[in-house]
Each structure stands twice: as structure tokens, then as C-alpha cells.
Amino acid sequence: MVMQDGGTVDVRPGADPGRAAPEHRGAYRVTALCLGLYAGTLLAWTVYGIARGDGDLDDFLEGLFNPGAAPGAQVLGPYEWSFTVVFAVVAALALAQRRVARSAALLSAALLLAVSLREGVGLLSGPYRAQYGHDPLGGWALATRGLGLVVALVVPAVLLPAVEGRRRAPGTAAAWAGPDARRDRSARICGVLFLLMGLARLSWTVRDLTAGGTDVAHYLRGVVDGSLLGTPDLSASTEFTTVGSVLTLLVLGALALRARRDVQGALLVFAAVELYLTVRTVVWLTVTDFFNRSLETTEGALSMATTAYGLAAMTSVVVLATGRGFGPYGGIRTEGFRTARAGRP
């Protein structure tokens, strides 16, 4: 609604476009409950890992960013630590009925489903199933896997039908034309950055597999079979996280390149995870003095360039996905403005 009183123009906001429609509140609350419960479970495992480890809390906090300072083997790894935060944040956003939580929650559920399917393949092995019975914490680990599967199935079931169109008040098409264009442009920029990062990581993965000395069949089995290590382990394997990150970067990049604005939340949370892991890599390269030796070989220089690009690209996506570029989903709306009586802007 627009009202003019002398030289004042009052632009009164309608429904908040960043909030879910009232008919979808139940779906968002169920999502918040599921992701919050799983985040709490991972946090409990993290606390247990700190308590049983050789170091104290300060050592663990240092190990969050310095891989060389981690006090002994932890129950969870850096991917699980980062997604513990992601699940908690997305749960809070869903509880607040923010639409940005939808794609972030669907991405979280997809990744949990992939982990669950991998573990399901592993459980087809009799010796691997027996390990759960022999391990004192096997029952708790299996319960955690089961909870992850439940979350992975429930969240899409309630959120996929919660599709919302653009809500505009009558007569506001012109006012929204600019934000829509900026939102599309920001989404495409994020898509390009994700695709380039995914292609770069795919190239390095293919190079490692074809360079010799790597059993390709064993590597691929590690992607889809949780029994490969022989013991129950809540930390994802390197093979799974590498291939999973490549696929996620490429899929989200392709969706964003098509200006699918409903992937903003997914872009934001995955870019934040990738940024954290890249910073962790940079810290490791620093403490091992690799920076000073990286330019001695072409491979080292390319590796450093890839790391630098990842740091810059993921930072850019986080900024774009949380800034004004995505408009009402994450940006700032102007609720009112004043004009001069003569009509000057």
C-alpha cells in the first residue's frame, strides 16, 4: 500500500516474502525438530570424543582449524563437525519459518540419505554387522545411523510439498523488477563459481586416480560401501566426502546457473562448509611450510591456485547468498522512504 501525505511517501510492507506461508508452518516445525534432534546427537558424540580423548577442550578447539593439532582420533571428523553447526542453524531458521531454510534442509536430508544408503550397503556384509555387536558403542552408533535415515526421509516428505510462489502486493511489479533481476544475477554468479570449483575438484580426483598407485575399484567401493574400513565409524571416508562434494558442487551450480532462487539456502550452507574446510587446509599448508615449496613444481603451483580459488569463490558465494543480491530471502527490504514535495528522489 502506498499513501502520500504532503511530501511523505509511506510504503507499507505486505506479507514478509522471507517467511513461509501459514499453511506450511507445520512442515517447517517438523523440519526444525528433526534437524535439531540430529544436531544434538552429533554434538553429544563430539562431546564424548573430547571427553575420551587425550587432550582437553582447548586442544579440540585448536584442532578444529589445525589438522595437526587434533588430540588423537575423534569419533567425528571435520565434515561432521561442520554439518553439526549446519543442522543446528537450519533448524533454527526453520523454526523461525524462514523460507531460506527449505533448500538448506533438503540438501541436508539428501546428504544424510546418501550416508544412510552407503551404510546400508555396508550392513549387507555379515562381518561388518557383527562389528556393531562387538563394539561397546555399536548400538548407539547404529541408532544414530537410524535416526539419520529417519531425518533423511521425513524432511523431504514434509518440505517438498511446501512450494511457494512469489508473493506480491497489487501494483508492486515495478518495485520488484530490480530485486528479481539482481537475485537472478547473483544466483548465476554463484552457479558459475560452484561449477568451476566442482570441475577443478573433479579434475584433481581423476588425476589422482589415473596417476598410478591407486586401486580405482577399491576407491569407488569406498564411496558406496560403508564396510570398507571393517569397523563402524561415524566419520565419513575420504572417498565419500570427495565424490560427494564434487557432485554437490556440480548439481547446485547447475541449478543456480538456471537462476533457481529456491537453492539460496543450499548454496549458503554448502559454501560455508566448503569455506571452513578450505580454511582448515590453508592452516595445514601453513604449518607444514608447503607455501614456501609450492612453486617449485607445476603441480604444486596448480594445487595452490585451486586452494586460493576455493577460498575466494566460497567466500563470494557466502557473501552473495547472505547479502542484498538475493533480495527478500536474505536481504534488506526498504520499508519506507521520503521524497521532496517537488518530486525529487
Side-chain angles (χ1 to χ4, degrees):
M1 179 186 299
V2 178
M3 299 179 60
Q4 184 165 348
D5 180 14
T8 301
V9 176
D10 178 19
V11 181
R12 298 184 180 181
D16 183 357
R19 287 182 64 86
E23 61 268 24
H24 298 148
R25 288 176 181 171
Y28 279 72
R29 287 170 180 163
V30 171
T31 298
L33 175 63
C34 290
L35 292 180
L37 182 61
Y38 196 73
T41 302
L42 293 183
L43 181 60
W45 279 109
T46 302
V47 172
Y48 171 78
I50 297 173
R52 78 164 193 175
D54 298 330
D56 54 16
L57 180 60
D58 291 338
D59 296 326
F60 173 77
L61 294 177
E62 182 181 358
L64 286 176
F65 293 94
N66 181 7
Q74 295 289 319
V75 178
L76 303 180
Y79 271 90
E80 289 75 26
W81 298 334
S82 58
F83 275 103
T84 299
V85 178
V86 166
F87 294 149
V89 171
V90 176
L93 290 172
L95 189 61
Q97 305 292 309
R98 305 310 298 178
R99 292 176 64 181
V100 71
R102 182 174 181 269
S103 63
L106 289 174
L107 172 64
S108 302
L111 295 175
L112 276 177
L113 182 60
V115 171
S116 299
L117 292 177
R118 179 177 181 271
E119 190 65 15
V121 172
L123 288 173
L124 296 177
S125 169
Y128 183 66
R129 290 196 305 271
Q131 289 295 326
Y132 275 101
H134 298 154
D135 193 313
L137 296 175
W140 291 105
L142 190 59
T144 301
R145 296 296 193 189
L147 176 61
L149 178 60
V150 171
V151 173
L153 296 177
V154 171
V155 170
V158 299
L159 277 187
L160 284 177
V163 179
E164 305 188 48
R166 301 178 189 177
R167 287 175 277 167
R168 297 183 180 181
T172 60
W176 280 78
D180 279 348
R182 289 195 301 271
R183 196 157 58 241
D184 290 349
R185 184 168 57 250
S186 295
R188 292 190 177 99
I189 292 173
C190 292
V192 171
L193 294 174
F194 260 51
L195 285 174
L196 291 177
M197 189 69 233
L199 291 174
R201 190 162 294 171
L202 176 61
S203 299
W204 279 109
T205 304
V206 172
R207 181 263 174 197
D208 292 339
L209 291 178
T210 57
T214 301
D215 187 340
V216 178
H218 185 271
Y219 185 95
L220 295 177
R221 181 188 168 194
V223 176
V224 299
D225 187 354
S227 68
L228 185 65
L229 296 178
T231 58
D233 194 347
L234 290 174
S235 295
S237 66
T238 302
E239 298 87 351
F240 177 81
T241 55
T242 299
V243 174
S245 66
V246 169
L247 292 177
T248 304
L249 287 167
L250 294 177
V251 171
L252 287 181
L255 292 175
L257 193 61
R258 296 171 54 195
R260 293 292 301 274
R261 291 179 293 278
D262 53 351
V263 301
Q264 178 204 352
L267 289 171
L268 176 59
V269 297
F270 198 73
V273 170
E274 287 292 319
L275 181 59
Y276 161 68
L277 295 171
T278 303
V279 169
R280 207 166 182 267
T281 300
V282 170
V283 172
W284 175 247
L285 295 176
T286 302
V287 298
T288 57
D289 200 32
F290 182 80
F291 282 120
N292 295 331
R293 297 179 281 108
S294 61
L295 299 179
E296 296 177 359
T297 63
T298 303
E299 181 179 345
L302 290 174
S303 177
M304 288 301 304
T306 303
T307 301
Y309 172 79
L311 191 63
M314 295 304 104
T315 301
S316 299
V317 173
V318 169
V319 171
L320 287 171
T322 55
R324 295 177 64 114
F326 278 89
Y329 293 89
I332 301 173
R333 290 193 304 158
T334 302
E335 306 295 353
F337 58 90
R338 300 181 64 87
T339 61
R341 289 179 182 272
R344 292 175 298 174

